[in-house]
Amino acid sequence: MLSPSLAQEIAADTSAVIGFNVLITDSDGMVIGSGDTSRVGTFHEASVEVVRTQEPTTHSAAEAQRLRGVRPGCTLPLVAGGRAVGTVGITGTPAQVRRFGLLVKRQTEILLRESVMLRSRLLAERAAEKLLADIASYDPQVVEGEFLMFRAAELGFDLRLPRVAVAVEVGVPSTTARRHRTPTQDMALIRSELLRTVREVFADPQDVVASTTPGWIGVLHRLTDHNPADLLAACRRVTDVIAAQDGLTARAGIGEPAASVGGLHDSYQDACDALRLGSRLADGSRVHAIGDLRVHQLLAAVGQPARGRLLDLTTAELRAQSDWPALRDTITAWCESGFNLVRASAALHIHRNTVVYRMNKIEQITGRPLREHRTTMALYLACLADRLAGGEEAR
C-alpha cells in the first residue's frame, strides 16, 4: 500500500519544506523513504513499537542511542483503513520537531489515501478497457458469452440490461488550422480528462466507459427509456464539450440497442462503422447513427471492385459532367426525400425549379425517367458508392 517510490517522494519534498529530515518506514520498520537517502533500506527500531501501538513517541539523544537506526526526534504512525501501514519520523530535538509531527503525519496520510484512490481508479479503468476490448473482439467460437457476463458482473456491470454502444473519436487538427492555439496535445496525456468528460454525460453507474486506443473512447450505455433523440443529444453534448477544449475535434457513432454479449459486439462494430462511414458524407454532422447508414454499411462491405463496376455501368456519362457533384446530390436527396420534389428541394436548400432542371438533365443523359424507381435506386446506390469513396472511385 505504501510504495517505496511514493514514500521517497513524500520524504524528500517534506524534508525540503520543514528543514528537518523526514523518513518513512513500512510496517516492519524498514526505511523506504528519507530526505537523507543514506538511511533508505536501514532498520528503524522505534517504528516497530509505534506500528504495534499506533501511538506516537519521541526520542531524546540518549534514548535514540539505545535503539537501532534511531536518531533524536519523533516517530508517528501512518494509519490507513484503521491499521498502521508504516511510520513517519522527523529528526531533531523533540522540542524542535514535535510541532511538525501531526502536520507531517496528516499530510502523508492524505497523500497515501490519494495514491490508493488513484491506483484503484486506474485498476478499474484497465478492467473496463479489457472488458470493452473483449466485447469488441468477441467470437463465440473462442470464448463463451457467459464468461464475459461473469467478468462484467465482477466489475458491477449487468450485461443483460438493454444497452447501446457509442464510439467517440477525438482528434487534433493540423497546426496550420489551429493557428494561435497551444501545441499539439498528446491523446495519451489527456486520456483521463477525456474519460471524465464522457463520464459526466454517460453517468449511469451501469454505463461502461473506457478508452480503447489513444483518441478513441467506447461506451456501452444502459438504456432505461430508449429515446433515440435523447441519445443523439447526449452524444452531441460530448462532442461539443470536447470540441470546446483547445485544439480538439470529436465525432461519435451510435450502434443499435442490444441485451447480450453478441448483440453488444455487433452494436459496437456498428458504432465504429457509423463513425467511419459518417466521416465520408461531408454533411457537417459530428454524430452519426448506424440506423441512418445501413445502406452505406452494406455498400462498404461489398468491396471496391463491385462498387466501381456499379459506378461505371450506371453513372459513367453523368460523372463526365462538370456539375456531377450537384447531380449526385440531387439524386441522393430525391431518393432520401421519398421521391418528393418539395422535400428534396428543401433538403438541398435550392428552389424546386433548380431540382426540376437537374432531374431533367439526368433523365436526358441517362435516357431513363427518375420516376422509374428501380432505375433511380440503382443511381442512388451508385451515388452513395461515389460519396463513400470521396468522389474518386472508378475514375
Side-chain angles (χ1 to χ4, degrees):
M1 180 177 289
L2 185 57
S3 68
S5 59
L6 176 63
Q8 180 57 41
E9 183 179 355
I10 294 173
D13 290 348
T14 309
S15 297
V17 170
I18 67 175
F20 294 94
N21 184 61
V22 173
L23 63 80
I24 297 174
T25 76
D26 61 17
S27 57
D28 296 321
M30 297 301 297
V31 178
I32 56 175
S34 175
D36 177 3
T37 56
S38 66
R39 301 186 67 181
V40 176
T42 63
F43 179 64
H44 190 263
E45 187 176 354
S47 293
V48 176
E49 184 66 12
V50 172
V51 168
R52 187 184 69 80
T53 63
Q54 294 191 24
E55 294 291 336
T57 184
T58 59
H59 316 284
S60 63
E63 291 169 330
Q65 285 183 343
R66 295 194 290 269
L67 297 170
R68 180 182 169 191
V70 178
R71 296 179 183 176
C74 63
T75 304
L76 304 94
L78 294 175
V79 179
R83 69 184 186 90
V85 297
T87 68
V88 57
I90 308 176
T91 302
T93 61
Q96 289 178 310
V97 300
R98 187 181 290 112
R99 58 195 172 105
F100 294 110
L102 187 58
L103 176 63
V104 172
K105 166 185 162 65
R106 287 180 175 172
Q107 182 64 26
T108 304
E109 289 176 343
I110 289 172
L111 293 174
L112 177 59
R113 283 197 299 272
E114 290 179 348
S115 175
V116 170
M117 290 174 61
L118 176 61
R119 177 175 173 79
S120 176
R121 190 180 80 234
L122 290 175
L123 288 174
E125 287 182 359
R126 296 294 182 271
E129 287 174 12
K130 183 65 166 60
L131 175 64
L132 183 61
D134 287 345
I135 290 174
S137 61
Y138 172 66
D139 183 346
Q141 301 299 320
V142 177
V143 62
E144 292 184 1
E146 290 291 330
F147 175 70
L148 291 183
M149 293 183 72
F150 175 76
R151 277 190 38 216
E154 287 185 317
L155 300 175
F157 302 119
D158 185 354
L159 296 187
R160 296 170 299 181
L161 298 173
R163 298 172 183 273
V164 64
V166 175
V168 180
E169 181 186 31
V170 182
V172 182
S174 65
T175 304
T176 54
R178 294 168 59 211
R179 295 190 181 128
H180 301 298
R181 297 184 180 180
T182 57
T184 300
Q185 300 180 58
D186 186 339
M187 289 294 108
L189 294 178
I190 61 174
R191 171 179 167 277
S192 295
E193 184 178 348
L194 292 174
L195 283 172
R196 183 169 59 251
T197 297
V198 177
R199 287 191 180 115
E200 287 175 354
V201 176
F202 294 101
D204 189 298
Q206 282 292 321
D207 286 347
V208 181
V209 181
S211 174
T212 53
T213 59
W216 279 77
I217 296 175
V219 182
L220 301 180
H221 170 56
R222 179 192 179 186
L223 294 173
T224 51
D225 182 16
H226 181 48
N227 184 339
D230 291 342
L231 183 56
L232 279 170
C235 290
R236 289 191 181 107
R237 285 201 303 275
V238 168
T239 57
D240 288 346
V241 171
I242 293 176
Q245 301 180 35
D246 185 48
L248 297 181
T249 61
R251 297 185 305 110
I254 304 173
E256 297 279 11
S260 66
V261 173
L264 287 173
H265 166 79
D266 293 340
S267 182
Y268 185 73
Q269 296 303 319
D270 281 347
C272 293
D273 281 350
L275 256 182
R276 178 172 57 87
L277 297 171
S279 66
R280 303 182 188 182
L281 300 183
D283 61 357
S285 175
R286 291 200 294 259
V287 179
H288 306 278
I290 193 61
D292 299 326
L293 298 166
R294 283 300 183 191
V295 177
H296 304 71
Q297 186 182 41
L298 183 61
L299 277 173
V302 168
Q304 189 274 335
R307 296 199 306 269
R309 288 196 299 274
L310 175 65
L311 278 168
D312 282 340
L313 296 174
T314 309
T315 64
E317 292 179 326
L318 289 174
R319 297 175 79 237
Q321 305 300 311
S322 60
D323 59 347
W324 159 242
L327 300 179
R328 178 191 62 195
D329 291 346
T330 301
I331 295 171
T332 303
W334 170 248
C335 294
E336 293 180 351
S337 300
F339 311 108
N340 183 284
L341 185 60
V342 175
R343 289 200 294 268
S345 61
L348 292 168
H349 306 290
I350 58 178
H351 194 276
R352 57 178 293 172
N353 289 344
T354 304
V355 177
V356 172
Y357 167 78
R358 291 180 183 176
M359 291 176 64
N360 288 335
K361 181 175 181 178
I362 293 168
E363 290 177 341
Q364 290 173 2
I365 293 173
T366 61
R368 294 182 179 181
L370 286 179
R371 294 189 183 276
E372 182 182 292
H373 292 168
R374 181 177 295 182
T375 297
T376 305
M377 290 308 299
L379 285 172
Y380 174 65
L381 293 176
C383 290
L384 292 186
D386 188 69
R387 292 183 70 188
L388 288 177
E392 296 299 328
E393 196 161 6
R395 282 187 182 263

